Amino acid sequence: MTSPPSVPSPPDSACATPSASASITRSAPITPGAPVASSTPLDHPVPPPGTMGPPVEFTWLREHCPVTRVRTPQGVPAWYVTRYEDVRDLIGDRRLIRPTIEQWPSRPDGDGAGEPGLTTMMELEGPEHMALRRALSEWFSPRAVRGLLPAMRATADELLEGFAAGGRPGDLVAGFVEPFPLLVMCDLVGIPRQDAGYFLPLADVALGALITLEEGRAASGRLRAYIESVIDAKRRSPADDILSDLVAAHERGELTEESVRGFGLSMLVAGYRTSTMFLANAVVSLLADPARYARLRDEPGLMPTAVEELLRHTPVQNGVVVLLATEDIRLRGQTIRAGDAVLPVHAAANRDATVFPDADRLDLDRADNPHLTFGRGPHNCIGSHLARAQMTVGLAALLGRFPGLRAAHGQEPAWDDASPAKSPLTLPVEW
């Protein structure tokens, strides 16, 4: 990264929105790590245009304003937390819960109260959540994921053959990076592949609700209706897939209907999309340095540490995880009130130089790598082993099929620059 970005402070706030071009001016010096008042929220940081990020503000915020108020894209204030230690503690703190898209931000006069929500696995709490995790534990265990590897590789190879047949240059996002995790998820969970054209646009709208709130809420009802239809189909004709297994557990009284539905919605909204984004950003990072791509191609034993480093370094989650405080929490001199929204920024924590030496450098040999990409605590990502396997298999297949892969000359990737969660919409490549 370049030198710390900043902007002049407004008179009523010691934390102002930094920018890449302005210089820091403060009425009094700021002691790194000291509590900083922030009566005026900052604008929600977003990555620079045409990049995956991270936002340029992260370094400055970690040093001077590790717990500060931001104004979300909907205009609602939230606490923005950027240091590794604080993010690690908050994402495991039971005083923070994840709201549904209908619950936050709250609507005036309770408008929309009582509507069926987009309750995914992440919003379930207590015994209901734990019962669902127990039911899923074997499906997502390391042993089960190892058993999926041959089928995963076959899917990857088939997609790459089709991609190559389309000629060069080609869009790697449309041809491989997006369909690969999607097909793996559909086959494992039991969601019909042929329905992707229907649920993909709805899922993307719901996932982007931090930007498109009302559209996200409208899409959530259609997603809920769709997954209910899939569950009904599993009840009539069970198969060897996760949803069929969960439906059977519900009929035995081991799971609630909401739990089964919540898992299905989780898979539709995030079960493949985050893997798509991480895989796409990993390819961008590798192609940015041809020597790095060549090294990973020629040293397959490097893949495990390389995957962990790519998961740490690629900044997909630029502050899009929303939690709500159920009671007051004191953190670095600030009081997070009950009902306040908190954004623990995984991508900022994963670039904290106090934990990761030379944190902004992509180091494929990094051995000590306690990144927070998969969270921690009761809501840590149950699909972490599967996500690692998808990244490993996807990259290995790509390196094997296209040893000379490179960015297409004169064609830049396309990005959604309004979104804090960034991966390329297109990725033109040659080989």
Side-chain angles (χ1 to χ4, degrees), residues 156-338:
D157 288 340
E158 181 181 355
L159 286 169
L160 289 172
E161 284 300 316
F163 174 69
R168 66 191 80 177
D171 175 14
L172 195 64
V173 170
F176 176 65
V177 168
E178 183 167 283
F180 172 56
L182 172 65
L183 296 180
V184 171
M185 183 276 291
C186 284
D187 294 345
L188 178 63
V189 175
I191 295 172
R193 288 184 174 192
Q194 63 270 22
D195 290 351
Y198 175 77
F199 68 74
L200 275 180
L202 296 174
D204 282 344
V205 170
L207 192 62
L210 194 65
I211 305 297
T212 56
L213 179 61
E214 291 308 316
E215 292 90 338
R217 283 172 167 164
S220 69
R222 296 172 66 189
L223 283 171
R224 184 183 175 99
Y226 169 74
I227 201 63
E228 286 174 345
S229 72
V230 175
I231 290 170
D232 287 341
K234 299 298 177 186
R235 193 171 287 117
R236 295 190 302 269
S237 301
D240 184 20
D241 55 51
I242 296 179
L243 276 179
S244 295
D245 193 45
L246 296 185
V247 167
H250 167 59
E251 292 176 345
R252 294 192 300 269
E254 298 168 6
L255 294 176
T256 66
E257 184 175 353
E258 186 68 17
S259 295
V260 181
R261 186 188 303 113
F263 171 76
L265 288 170
S266 298
M267 295 299 99
L268 288 182
V269 175
Y272 68 94
R273 180 55 75 199
T274 49
S275 292
T276 292
M277 298 174 81
F278 273 109
L279 184 55
N281 285 351
V283 174
V284 170
S285 298
L286 292 172
L287 294 185
D289 182 352
R292 188 181 291 139
Y293 184 88
R295 185 181 176 214
L296 191 56
R297 176 198 65 206
D298 297 338
E299 300 180 36
L302 189 62
M303 187 66 78
T305 57
V307 165
E308 293 305 315
E309 176 68 348
L310 287 163
L311 287 167
R312 178 197 73 86
H313 190 266
T314 53
V316 168
Q317 295 167 305
N318 292 307
V320 295
V321 174
V322 180
L323 302 175
L324 290 185
T326 59
E327 59 184 86
D328 290 358
I329 299 172
R330 289 286 293 172
L331 182 61
R332 298 198 182 276
Q334 304 282 23
T335 300
I336 300 170
R337 300 292 183 188

Side-chain angles (χ1 to χ4, degrees), residues 32-188:
V36 182
S38 54
S39 58
T40 300
L42 314 175
D43 287 332
H44 188 286
V46 295
T51 74
M52 73 178 78
V56 294
E57 296 92 341
F58 279 0
T59 299
W60 190 90
L61 287 171
R62 275 194 306 265
E63 182 178 356
H64 298 294
C65 298
V67 182
T68 192
R69 300 278 271 177
V70 300
R71 184 186 303 103
T72 65
Q74 308 100 321
V76 179
W79 291 99
Y80 200 75
V81 183
T82 48
R83 284 187 184 169
Y84 180 94
E85 179 183 1
D86 300 332
V87 172
R88 181 198 61 198
D89 291 346
L90 289 175
I91 59 179
D93 194 323
R94 294 180 181 273
R95 296 172 295 177
L96 292 162
I97 61 172
R98 185 158 173 167
T100 69
I101 190 175
E102 285 76 23
Q103 292 171 329
W104 185 89
S106 59
R107 306 191 200 189
D109 303 321
D111 185 28
E115 292 180 6
L118 188 71
T119 303
T120 72
M121 188 174 177
M122 290 300 295
E123 288 83 50
L124 292 174
E125 295 288 342
E128 188 176 17
H129 173 248
M130 294 308 299
L132 179 57
R133 290 186 72 95
R134 284 194 298 271
L136 292 169
S137 59
E138 180 54 34
W139 283 98
F140 290 106
S141 69
R143 182 185 66 83
V145 170
R146 284 195 297 271
L148 298 173
L149 294 178
M152 256 193 260
R153 182 58 188 256
T155 297
D157 288 340
E158 181 181 355
L159 286 169
L160 289 172
E161 284 300 316
F163 174 69
R168 66 191 80 177
D171 175 14
L172 195 64
V173 170
F176 176 65
V177 168
E178 183 167 283
F180 172 56
L182 172 65
L183 296 180
V184 171
M185 183 276 291
C186 284
D187 294 345
L188 178 63

